[in-house]
């Protein structure tokens, strides 16, 4: 097989006649399904909606963000909002410290997580620009890529995913674990790249190579960057700050958050949260736990995103970024995975191992090491989703869960009929 990046065939039904797993590419649907609902690029949804889901909406920014530029004109309603906020009874908190949690993991099912907020703006822009397909890039278990694939199919757009994997797996069928299952069920075209090729070439060039190839085939691709993190995507979490403000106002009105804690993987979420918190009346201090790269990189990247909105603010003044990558992106120690298991067991909240798991782990470590810093504060933790990523860790976590046994039944026990033969 040719090892040149992006010359490998996409994972599709025609790849090999003797494959046991075949996923249709839906190529025959490209022209007919895209031209009808998107004719004239008028942002019409794929079908009439009830309740607003998948509908186009004119966008009006919060008054405190109306000076930013450019302001998006429309969004697509893709997320189930507002996501709930509730108190999170974590163990071993500093004295008088309260932690609350905003459940962006409940923003949908296939579209769950923080990425859908960005996609509401990005997909509207793609359709407005006449796109018939979407390109994006991520890791082999990318939550963003899964959400993008689903959003694209909802809007009758094809989706091309450039997924980063190890060099020993790059020429193999990637399988159906976790996010890959959803991506392939909705017909995404998967193109694999090795981590070494990715590091050498970079996501921007890789996406551009694929874009040029699709343009040569007569397609109209729209590129969404890694994590949906550009200045347009940043509006997703500017808007989330407005949502948090409204939730506080419609509640008792007595809660005022001192801090917001969130994982950082591509930068767009923390850019929107920190800028929105500073401009709004929320004024909570944003703490970001970086699960890849380093704080210096993210300060610079966030600066570029907010400069792209003419915000006139220094990123160092609005967010505190800490290193939480541990062994590396999407890599976990047994201690981190045990933490995810223990938090689920203690509170019922299931964290993902790549993002929110590492952020919560880092937050509680910092609270333990610096209790005075957190004492008496009300903290809002943003759960950014990623549950499907846990399926990639089952082998590492199998020994941690336990609590099963063969039920003992005495032979003398008599049957008592219930409803139906099975009951």
């Amino acid at each position: 097989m040719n090892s040149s990046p992006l010359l490998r065939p996409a994972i599709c039904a025609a790849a090999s006649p003797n494959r046991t797993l075949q996923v249709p590419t839906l190529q025959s649907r490209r022209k007919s399904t895209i031209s009808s609902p998107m004719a004239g690029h008028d942002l019409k949804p794929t079908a009439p909606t009830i309740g607003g889901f998948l509908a186009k909406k004119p966008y009006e920014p919060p008054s405190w963000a109306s000076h930013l530029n450019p302001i998006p004109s429309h969004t697509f309603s893709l997320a189930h909002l507002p996501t709930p906020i509730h108190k999170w009874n974590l163990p071993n908190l500093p004295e008088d410290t309260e932690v609350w949690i905003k459940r962006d993991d409940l923003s949908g099912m296939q579209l769950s997580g923080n990425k859908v907020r960005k996609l509401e703006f990005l997909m509207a822009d793609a359709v407005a620009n006449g796109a018939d397909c979407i390109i994006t890039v991520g890791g082999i278990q990318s939550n963003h890529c899964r959400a993008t694939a689903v959003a694209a199919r909802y809007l009758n757009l094809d989706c091309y995913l450039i997924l980063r994997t190890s060099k020993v797996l790059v020429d193999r069928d990637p399988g159906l674990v976790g996010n890959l299952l959803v991506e392939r069920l909705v017909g995404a075209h998967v193109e694999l790249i090795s981590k070494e090729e990715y590091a050498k070439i970079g996501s921007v060039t890789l996406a551009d190579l694929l874009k040029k190839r699709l343009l040569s085939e007569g397609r109209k691709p729209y590129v969404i960057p890694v994590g949906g993190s550009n200045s347009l995507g940043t509006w997703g979490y500017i808007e989330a700050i407005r949502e948090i403000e409204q939730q506080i106002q419609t509640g008792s009105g007595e809660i005022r958050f001192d801090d917001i804690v969130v994982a950082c993987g591509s930068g767009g979420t923390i850019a929107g949260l920190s800028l929105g918190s500073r401009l709004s009346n929320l004024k909570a201090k944003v703490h970001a736990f970086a699960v890849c790269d380093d704080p210096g990189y993210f300060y610079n990247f966030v600066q570029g995103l907010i400069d792209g909105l003419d915000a006139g603010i220094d990123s160092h003044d609005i967010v505190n970024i800490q290193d939480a990558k541990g062994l590396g992106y999407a890599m976990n120690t047994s201690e981190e995975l045990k933490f995810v298991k223990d938090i689920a067991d203690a509170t019922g909240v299931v964290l993902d191992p790549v993002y929110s798991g590492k952020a919560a782990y880092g937050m509680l470590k910092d609270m333990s090491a610096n209790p005075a810093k957190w004492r008496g504060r009300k903290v809002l933790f943003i759960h950014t989703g990623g549950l499907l990523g846990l399926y990639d860790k089952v082998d590492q976590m199998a020994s941690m869960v336990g609590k099963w046994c063969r039920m003992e039944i005495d032979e003398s026990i008599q049957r008592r009929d219930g409803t139906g033969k099975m009951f």
Side-chain angles (χ1 to χ4, degrees), residues 15-42:
S16 173
N18 61 1
R19 286 190 185 273
T20 57
L21 171 68
Q22 296 190 348
V23 180
T25 61
L26 307 182
Q27 291 185 13
S28 62
R29 292 173 45 189
R30 285 179 182 169
K31 304 297 183 184
S32 60
T33 58
I34 293 166
S35 60
S36 174
M38 301 307 174
H41 313 151
D42 58 357

Side-chain angles (χ1 to χ4, degrees), residues 45-88:
T46 56
T49 64
I50 296 175
F53 184 57
L54 298 185
K56 72 160 187 176
K57 298 185 297 183
Y59 182 67
E60 290 292 335
S63 59
W64 41 261
S66 60
H67 66 287
L68 299 178
N69 182 54
I71 292 173
S73 62
H74 288 80
T75 67
F76 269 117
S77 179
L78 300 174
H80 299 294
L81 303 175
T83 57
I85 296 175
H86 64 84
K87 197 170 182 181
W88 196 15

Side-chain angles (χ1 to χ4, degrees), residues 10 22 56 66 72 91 112 120 132 142 144 158 165 188 209 250 283 311 364 367 376 383 386 393-394 401 403:
Q22 296 190 348
K56 72 160 187 176
S66 60
S112 65
E120 291 197 323
D132 66 5
S142 168
H144 162 69
D158 279 349
T165 188
L209 285 169
T250 56
K283 299 293 188 291
L364 288 182
M367 286 181 173
H383 190 330
K393 305 291 182 180
V394 291
V401 291
K403 290 189 178 180

Side-chain angles (χ1 to χ4, degrees), residues 233-247:
T234 297
W235 280 98
Y237 271 87
I238 294 174
E239 186 62 26
I241 290 293
R242 170 157 62 180
E243 180 178 300
I244 293 168
E245 282 193 309
Q246 291 172 344
Q247 287 176 290

